[in-house]
Amino acid sequence: MTDLLMSRRHFLAGTGALGLMPCVSFAASPAALTAQIAHIQLAPDGYPVTEAYTYGSQFPGPMIRAKQGERIARELVNDLPVPTSVHWHGIRIDNAMDGVAGLTQEAVLPKARFTYDFAVPDAGTYWYHAHINSMEQVARGLYGPLIIDEVNAPDVDRDEVLMLDDWRLDPETAQIDPDFDFPMDRSHAGRYGNLIGTNGRYGYRLSARRGERLRLRLINAANARIFGLTFQGLTGWTVALDGMPLATPEPVDSEIVLAPAQRIDLIVDVTAAEGEEAMILRFDDDEKWRAQVGFDLSGIKAIRDTAPAPLPPNPGMETVNLARATQLEMRMEGGAMGNMPMGRMNGQMMGFREMVSGGMYWTLAGVAGMDETPFARLSLGEHVRLKLTNDTIFPHAMHLHGQHFREISDGKQGPMRDTLLSLPAETTEIAFVANNPGKWLFHCHMLGHAATGMTTWIEVA
């Protein structure tokens, strides 16, 4: 087994096993989401099954799909031995349904139930996942795709959801490594896995015809891994980021970077010639390209000679009035070899050593972890410009609940997103309109960082 599953800080290498795994389809979602332990074949066939946290014994969880403007109602049934909740990532919904225990709702205790019921104003690619002890519960499998279809669907032959993830498994037993308190993960780049896959399987493959046009919805569900992706035998366009449509589709002519929690919608034509392969490749830590998704090609269909039309815009996609925007600043500090001499923790100023002894390694705006006071109190409709300075040596995927924002570059506002990749020693600016009332989390989606300090909140009154 050790020839396939490698050491803690590495991953399953090579593409020789691409033929091992069949395509796995998402099942329809039931009216209830039952969080429960199940045993699933996470490692390749021939390896032991893995005990995982699941929704309805499915890994990933069942696809929840609706049309824009409809309502979604799901009862969470907690059959786990621990409290849990569900966050609906990226959807601009009522605050009471956001699923953040301790901020928007009480934790759903074992054997208890909670009903989520909300309208979906935005079309696009989203996902749902646990939001209590997320570093562990998401890593153990509590997540699934949330797809909101446009009223008028784009002209494609097929629509495919691809959830990318990595898992840290014991090389002998194929069980998920239970050490979620490992200081190296919490104070460095985060918890990386040694097995990388798609839709809960290693060596994931899709069938396709040459010339076919596909909509691919990519979701990064990993705890900390940043995916660098490219195409072989495919010609594609980016049509949406984090669920929000681009005004004009952009040709994919360079590497795609997908940070934890980010999504990208692509429309691709299968352009591989006879005898050539079509693949989505990822750039691995050893600086080699390996297959993330392979395509089994058959037949031939005339390739379209035009770029896809843009997706219809979602409501509330106006740009920010920067001239009258409220100016805010946030510095990210801490981590290994970081610059965090002091910070506020549990309402008291503490030195770095004191915070580390309390399990905190990071601060946002000088505060480690959730504070009783929000980072900012905003009025409904207020325009905001937030300057983010990454004063650490690690990247961070900063996610804002309840709103979407635009990154500002050279005075111009980029596409709308809900998760920003902030690189080390980099200063970025984002701008948004606070148009959704409530208490909203703002945190790093490298989930080990969020658990150890990089979590705060804003209030829109």
Side-chain angles (χ1 to χ4, degrees):
M1 178 171 288
T2 54
D3 62 334
L4 284 179
L5 286 174
M6 300 170 63
S7 65
R8 294 176 65 92
R9 301 302 298 175
H10 293 82
F11 39 79
L12 193 57
T15 59
L18 273 173
L20 290 176
M21 293 297 162
C23 173
V24 180
S25 299
F26 286 101
S29 175
L33 276 178
T34 301
Q36 60 191 139
I37 293 173
H39 292 86
I40 48 99
Q41 190 65 51
L42 181 55
D45 290 336
Y47 289 64
V49 295
T50 301
E51 182 177 283
Y53 289 180
T54 69
Y55 292 114
S57 297
Q58 297 182 42
F59 191 92
M63 182 184 298
I64 297 178
R65 196 157 200 154
K67 276 197 177 294
Q68 185 175 13
E70 293 180 345
R71 295 193 71 85
I72 289 175
R74 291 294 185 278
E75 183 181 42
L76 172 64
V77 179
N78 187 6
D79 279 350
L80 295 171
V82 294
T84 192
S85 67
V86 179
H87 169 54
W88 311 90
H89 188 114
I91 289 283
R92 299 181 287 185
I93 59 177
D94 292 341
N95 189 241
M97 297 289 103
D98 195 46
V100 180
L103 187 67
T104 68
Q105 68 169 89
E106 296 297 322
V108 183
L109 300 176
K111 303 304 179 185
R113 298 168 179 247
F114 184 90
T115 298
Y116 295 94
D117 188 345
F118 52 87
V120 286
D122 301 319
T125 300
Y126 307 96
W127 62 307
Y128 62 94
H129 61 80
H131 219 296
I132 294 179
N133 191 16
S134 301
M135 180 184 182
E136 179 172 351
Q137 293 195 10
V138 175
R140 289 188 180 277
L142 284 185
Y143 64 81
L146 173 61
I147 305 302
I148 310 302
D149 291 307
E150 298 84 5
V151 175
N152 298 309
D155 181 18
V156 295
D157 295 310
R158 204 164 74 247
D159 188 316
E160 296 285 352
V161 176
L162 303 172
M163 298 198 80
L164 315 183
D165 199 358
D166 64 354
W167 308 277
R168 184 180 296 178
L169 303 183
D170 181 280
E172 301 302 326
T173 66
Q175 299 310 301
I176 294 172
D177 186 335
D179 186 2
F180 289 93
D181 293 325
F182 189 48
M184 184 75 74
D185 294 336
R186 290 171 170 254
S187 62
H188 287 66
R191 180 184 168 103
Y192 273 60
N194 54 7
L195 178 70
I196 305 173
T198 303
N199 292 349
R201 301 306 296 263
Y202 170 71
Y204 189 80
R205 299 189 70 85
L206 286 171
S207 60
R209 289 184 296 162
R210 292 178 178 85
E212 203 170 15
R213 176 163 283 188
L214 309 175
R215 179 176 185 168
L216 302 180
R217 303 173 183 263
L218 275 60
I219 304 170
N220 184 351
N223 232 267
R225 183 178 295 276
I226 301 169
F227 282 88
L229 305 168
T230 192
F231 291 157
Q232 177 179 314
L234 303 168
T235 300
W237 296 263
T238 300
V239 294
L241 296 171
D242 293 350
M244 292 294 149
L246 302 185
T248 303
E250 297 181 355
V252 177
D253 52 14
S254 61
E255 181 182 340
I256 296 168
V257 177
L258 204 62
Q262 288 186 331
R263 290 90 61 214
I264 184 169
D265 282 49
L266 304 163
I267 290 181
V268 303
D269 291 336
V270 182
T271 52
E274 189 74 36
E276 294 180 345
E277 289 188 286
M279 291 186 287
I280 300 175
L281 300 164
R282 71 170 185 274
F283 193 67
D284 274 339
D285 294 349
D286 60 358
E287 299 187 350
K288 293 181 180 179
W289 291 98
R290 291 190 171 88
Q292 180 71 31
V293 177
F295 290 80
D296 294 321
L297 301 181
S298 64
I300 191 164
K301 186 177 186 290
I303 296 177
R304 310 182 195 207
D305 57 2
T306 58
L311 299 176
N314 281 324
M317 292 189 67
E318 68 274 9
T319 56
V320 178
N321 186 334
L322 299 179
R324 69 178 182 89
T326 300
Q327 305 275 334
L328 299 173
E329 292 191 19
M330 176 180 288
R331 185 173 295 274
M332 310 172 206
E333 296 177 294
M337 296 170 284
N339 176 27
M340 190 179 76
M342 295 192 71
R344 192 167 80 245
M345 176 179 163
N346 298 326
Q348 297 181 350
M349 292 301 297
M350 297 184 183
F352 181 68
R353 290 180 181 275
E354 289 179 283
M355 284 190 284
V356 168
S357 66
M360 293 293 174
Y361 294 92
W362 312 87
T363 61
L364 294 176
V367 180
M370 288 290 283
D371 198 74
E372 291 185 0
T373 303
F375 166 71
R377 284 192 170 95
L378 306 171
S379 300
L380 188 63
E382 188 170 353
H383 291 230
V384 180
R385 183 172 183 169
L386 173 58
K387 181 179 179 180
L388 294 164
T389 300
N390 185 347
D391 196 11
T392 80
I393 66 168
F394 297 101
H396 302 288
M398 300 303 297
H399 170 51
L400 177 61
H401 288 217
Q403 339 278 320
H404 276 70
F405 54 77
R406 298 179 186 271
E407 185 176 351
I408 304 170
S409 179
D410 297 326
K412 297 180 180 178
Q413 299 180 45
M416 292 189 80
R417 303 209 71 151
D418 60 50
T419 306
L420 169 78
L421 179 59
S422 173
L423 298 177
E426 179 181 80
T427 295
T428 53
E429 284 190 284
I430 62 173
F432 63 95
V433 180
N435 53 16
N436 198 357
K439 298 177 179 179
W440 301 107
L441 217 60
F442 185 48
H443 66 99
C444 180
H445 226 283
M446 275 76 169
L447 295 175
H449 298 171
T452 54
M454 298 193 77
T455 301
T456 187
W457 59 291
I458 66 171
E459 184 171 20
V460 181

